Structures are given as C-alpha cells and as structure tokens.
Amino acid sequence: MFTSHAVLPLAGALMVASCSGLAQNYRYPSGLRDEKTATKQDDHKLSRSALGLKVVGGTALSAARQPVATARVGGMVLWQRPFELLAGGIPGSHKVLPLPPEVPGTPEFEALLDRKRLPAAVPGKLTWLVDGKDYVPELNRQARAARHSIDSQVYIFDNDDAAVAYADILRQRSSEVSVRVVFDELGSMMSWGKPPETPYPGGGQPPRDMSRYLRQGSNVKVRSIPNPWLVCDHTKLHVFDRQVAVMGCANIGREYASEWHDLLFRVEGPAVAKLQQDYNATWRRADPVGLFGAFRRKTAVPPDPREVKGAYPLRIIRTDPAAGRREIQKSMVLAIRAARTRIWIEDPYVSNDDITEALEDAARRGVDVRMIYPSKNDSKIMDIANRAFATKLVKAGGRAYAYPKMTHLKVMICDGWACVGSANLDTLSMRINRELNVAFNDRRAIDALIASVFRPDFAVSSPHRESDPASAPLIETIADQL
C-alpha cells in the first residue's frame, strides 16, 4: 500500500501518462527530424522531452484560449489522482450499499436517472457495425453520399494507409460539401510515430502530419484539441448532413479497420440533432481564437423531420471535467448496483474502483456477471490489471473470458439497460478524459447487441485463468490512475 507522502509525487508522475499507454511509442512531432537517421537513444530522449513539452505547451495554449475551463480541468486532475490513490489504499473503505428498488431497463430506473439530472432521453435508432468490415464501408458510404456536410471527430486520426484512404475521400468531397475534422492532438501525434502491427503496403511512407495532409489541395477544415494537464478528448463521432451519425469505440486507422476487434454504430432520428450540437460545441472549443469563439453566433440544429421507424429513447451522456460532467460513471454505477439478473461487459481497460467493486458486489449477490477482456492488450499494465480483476471477479462468483486478440469494444448491459460508446471502465474515462456514450433500454436494440457482440464473443473467448496474485497490488494501484 502507498503511504500518503508518496501520493502527490506519484500522481504527478502519472499525469505524464494520463492519456494512454502509448507514451513509450511516441517519436517525432511533424517536421522535427528524419526518423531514418535517429538512434534509439535519441528516440528515447526526444520521447521524454517532446512529451514534457506537451505538458507545458498544451496547458499554456488551453489556458490562453479557455482560462476558466483549463483551471477547472487542472483542479479536477489534481484532486482525482490523490483521491484514487488514497481511496484504493485504505483498508475497509469499501461499503456494500443497499440494493436500489429501481431495476435497470424499467421506467422506474429511467426516472431515477432523471432525478440524478442525467440528460433527457431523445428518440433515435441504433444499428450495430461490428469491426472494420462493417463500419469502414459505412463511413465511406456516408461520406461519399453526403450532400451538405461531413463532420468527423476522433481521438486518433492515424497516418497509415487506412486513415489516408478515408482522408482522401474527405479531401475529394470538400470541393462539394462542407468538411470539418477535429482530433485530439496528443493522441494523434503519438500514433503518427507508432507503426501498425502489419506492414505499410507497397513500401510507401505515411504523411508526417495528417492535419497538413487533410488540408493539402482541399477545402477540409481541420482543428486539433490541445491537452491541458495531458487530459485528452477520447470522443469518436461522425455526423453526415445532420441526419445520420456514426459513433462508438473505434478511431480512424489500420488498427481499428482490420487489426483489432472494434465497434461503431449508426444513429438515426432526432438524437442526431443533439449529436450535431455536441460536435459544434467541440468545434468551437477547439477554435484557435479561444474565448472569443464563444461570442460567435451559435446556430440551432433542428431535428431531422424524416420519420425513423422503430426509434426509441436514447440518453447522450458524457464525461467532461471542464463542464463538471460524470454522467457515464454515475449511470453505470447505478445500473450495476441495481442489476438483478445480468451484467455483461466487454472492455479493454477495467480498473476504476467504483466500477470494479460494484461488479464484485453484484457477483456476490448472485447476478450473472460476465467480463470479456483482450488476451492481447496494447497496454502491459492494463493487461495485468484486467487479469487481476478477472481473478477477483471469478472468486466473487462471476465469470471472465479472454478474447483471442485485442478487443477495443466498450459495451455494458445491465438487465434491460445498456451503455456503449467511447468510455473505458477506467479512471481516465470515468473522471478525467472527455468521453461520449449513449444509454438505452430498448429490448430489440439490446437483443441485437447481444446477437452481434456478446454471443459470438463468448463463443470464441477462453475462460479466464487465474493470474499471479503477487504482482496485482502494485499494478492495481498504478492502473487506478489510468
């Protein structure tokens, strides 16, 4: 267990790795030097110095643009880091709470979420797009068919062949329709220096700077989101003609198109207008003029007047520390605590104490708790943390399964209620990074999610094998920060 005098130094150090486990792969921001002539020692030095510059530069830039929001995010990060360390290190601090009377999936549970001041539900319809074989053609089709506008936001807009192919469509369409792209600066830049698992085809060299590539010879408008205190915007959202949205778990790049198991989903109906408003707010937030952008006129987005058959209520929920929003964690913990029969999750990073303790409690009271995690994780720390929690879950009476490769899905079903989107079940997604999910209780949509994701993934996954418990306490403490 960590003592209190170690809390602040460790919290500060872990801020440097707060966005992802990719820091060790970070190489060169665009234009700094030629990768072919760099030595491994130079690579390591630049990795540390470039990341250090991002800590200072990203925070300073954000403070100049949005001083109040930046200060609020900084306070949130400086509070959450020590809080997670202390909360996880105090023996006997966990209390089993009474079972709430509201059952997930019922009108009573929705009324509970209303009382907790979660965003009101709006009508919409979801269509599941599992793996790149489904969502890459859908993104391409929507981009090619758009008649007025294409708005894309991702955490990572990579620079490999899959990302370039989508970028080329956007560049070509920008002569005919409005095209806007916004991505997280740190997440994307780190990925530009990290080669994909499979070779780049034909020996080609990727673009050094995707922002420049998207703009080159086109009318694409591009903004990147700076990273105050190394806090990231992990959102994935694409809106076409204000009528159709595609959102979920996957970024733009080779890993998400063909190497990993991943998920996006199409949204239709009045909910798309809310998602368009959300995108517009993010675009203003990334405005280089900062605070002055807030004075620009905000255009209302009317709902799509076309009728969508089979629409049902959707809650569009966020984690957003600048706005004081923790709706994803709040709703998930409520649903886990209230579940009577079933909690099924699939997620690559499971470490948030509020979530893991609630899952163990549910398994002990007889709920069918099942967890699918990747057998080949892109983060060694989170792989150990996942396996350590899976062992605890099995001992509590739940079940855990290792998917045969990297699964990047972030999906939860509690009885008749589901939540899916960009948020992982870790501290970053629950409290620190900006995330976007949808929650719903439509039985047909949940049955389709089970048929598309859980049934096939349970079938190919292996039952969890107990990990080495000796390594778990230290790793769990570190993972709690991620």
Side-chain angles (χ1 to χ4, degrees):
M1 183 180 74
F2 282 86
T3 57
S4 59
H5 71 271
V7 168
L8 290 177
L10 180 59
L14 284 167
M15 280 176 60
V16 177
S18 67
C19 281
S20 72
L22 295 173
Q24 69 270 24
N25 297 315
Y26 187 80
R27 292 189 179 181
Y28 305 106
S30 174
L32 282 183
R33 67 184 300 176
D34 184 357
E35 289 184 41
K36 295 181 180 179
T37 62
T39 64
K40 291 183 179 179
Q41 185 176 8
D42 289 339
D43 217 19
H44 179 66
K45 289 180 180 178
L46 187 56
S47 171
R48 293 190 303 175
S49 62
L51 204 54
L53 287 173
K54 290 301 299 176
V55 178
V56 177
T59 303
L61 178 60
S62 295
R65 291 181 178 179
Q66 305 283 351
V68 176
T70 303
R72 184 168 188 169
V73 169
M76 180 71 70
V77 171
L78 292 174
W79 161 247
Q80 292 299 337
R81 295 304 189 195
F83 175 82
E84 285 297 316
L85 284 170
L86 289 172
I90 300 175
S93 59
H94 172 60
K95 296 181 180 179
V96 179
L97 299 174
L99 188 67
E102 300 89 353
V103 178
T106 64
E108 290 77 16
F109 185 76
E110 295 301 319
L112 172 64
L113 297 181
D114 289 334
R115 293 196 299 274
K116 296 295 183 179
R117 298 184 179 179
L118 267 75
V122 291
K125 181 181 179 182
L126 307 181
T127 302
W128 307 112
L129 306 168
V130 182
D131 291 332
K133 63 178 177 56
D134 287 347
Y135 54 72
V136 169
E138 179 67 16
L139 284 173
N140 293 345
R141 184 178 71 84
Q142 293 292 346
R144 290 191 175 107
R147 300 179 61 186
H148 305 290
S149 61
I150 302 170
D151 291 329
S152 286
Q153 180 189 359
V154 284
Y155 170 56
I156 293 173
F157 202 122
D158 218 329
N159 63 340
D160 55 35
D161 59 310
V164 166
Y166 187 62
D168 286 344
I169 296 174
L170 298 182
R171 292 168 62 193
Q172 185 272 322
R173 292 307 323 279
S174 69
S175 64
E176 305 165 313
V177 302
S178 168
V179 179
R180 299 186 295 181
V181 176
V182 60
F183 53 75
D184 185 87
E185 188 172 292
L186 184 59
S188 293
M189 288 176 68
M190 287 196 299
S191 288
W192 296 346
K194 176 179 177 288
E197 296 176 8
T198 49
Y200 200 88
Q205 292 297 316
R208 297 290 299 276
D209 184 333
M210 285 303 290
S211 178
R212 184 180 300 136
Y213 182 80
L214 282 160
R215 291 188 179 102
Q216 186 176 359
S218 78
N219 296 320
V220 177
K221 298 175 183 177
V222 185
R223 290 179 181 174
S224 60
I225 299 174
N227 306 95
W229 314 101
L230 284 183
V231 171
C232 299
D233 194 324
H234 200 235
T235 303
K236 293 89 173 174
L237 172 64
H238 313 267
V239 187
F240 305 93
D241 288 342
R242 301 181 176 183
Q243 296 178 345
V244 175
V246 177
M247 59 180 292
C249 317
N251 293 296
I252 299 295
R254 175 86 73 86
E255 288 171 330
Y256 316 98
S258 60
E259 295 173 353
W260 291 0
H261 182 38
D262 221 327
L263 177 71
L264 291 176
F265 48 92
R266 186 173 70 240
V267 187
E268 300 169 273
V272 177
K274 293 293 185 182
L275 293 169
Q276 182 70 68
Q277 291 174 355
D278 189 285
Y279 183 94
N280 292 346
T282 300
W283 184 256
R284 291 192 298 271
R285 176 172 169 261
D287 194 325
V289 303
L291 268 179
F292 296 101
F295 295 103
R296 295 179 178 174
R297 187 173 65 179
K298 300 177 183 178
T299 304
V301 181
D304 184 359
R306 299 177 303 171
E307 181 181 357
V308 176
K309 293 183 179 180
Y312 39 85
L314 303 174
R315 288 185 193 266
I316 300 169
I317 54 179
R318 269 207 176 275
T319 302
D320 189 346
R325 297 174 66 179
R326 292 214 323 251
E327 299 149 3
I328 298 174
Q329 181 183 32
K330 183 185 294 185
S331 60
M332 282 184 169
V333 171
L334 284 171
I336 294 169
R337 285 183 49 222
R340 265 57 169 187
T341 59
R342 169 182 65 191
I343 303 171
W344 293 354
I345 63 172
E346 183 164 351
D347 199 285
Y349 319 116
V350 184
S351 63
N352 177 262
D353 285 339
D354 292 328
I355 296 289
T356 57
E357 290 174 355
L359 289 170
E360 289 179 67
D361 291 344
R364 292 190 187 98
R365 68 173 184 267
V367 178
D368 176 17
V369 182
R370 306 187 199 181
M371 163 190 172
I372 300 175
Y373 66 89
S375 63
K376 298 179 181 179
N377 203 305
D378 66 326
S379 167
K380 292 181 180 179
I381 289 177
M382 295 309 302
D383 180 56
I384 296 172
N386 284 345
R387 294 175 188 274
F389 171 65
T391 296
K392 291 182 180 180
L393 181 62
V394 171
K395 289 181 177 179
R399 287 182 276 181
Y401 303 86
Y403 190 79
K405 62 178 184 178
M406 176 61 184
T407 173
H408 195 241
L409 278 70
K410 304 98 165 47
V411 185
M412 172 183 288
I413 297 176
C414 296
D415 291 347
W417 180 89
C419 190
V420 58
S422 69
N424 295 300
L425 299 180
D426 58 15
T427 296
L428 286 174
S429 289
M430 295 293 106
R431 295 175 177 269
I432 295 173
N433 285 343
R434 199 161 181 260
E435 306 282 359
L436 180 65
N437 275 32
V438 296
F440 56 95
N441 64 1
D442 182 77
R443 181 174 179 178
R444 293 165 299 174
I446 291 176
D447 287 346
L449 182 60
I450 292 172
S452 300
V453 172
F454 282 105
R455 293 299 184 197
D457 290 1
F458 285 140
V460 300
S461 298
S462 302
H464 170 72
R465 295 182 179 180
E466 188 170 323
S467 61
D468 177 12
S471 64
L474 175 60
I475 294 297
E476 182 180 0
T477 302
I478 297 173
D480 282 349
Q481 296 290 301
L482 299 176

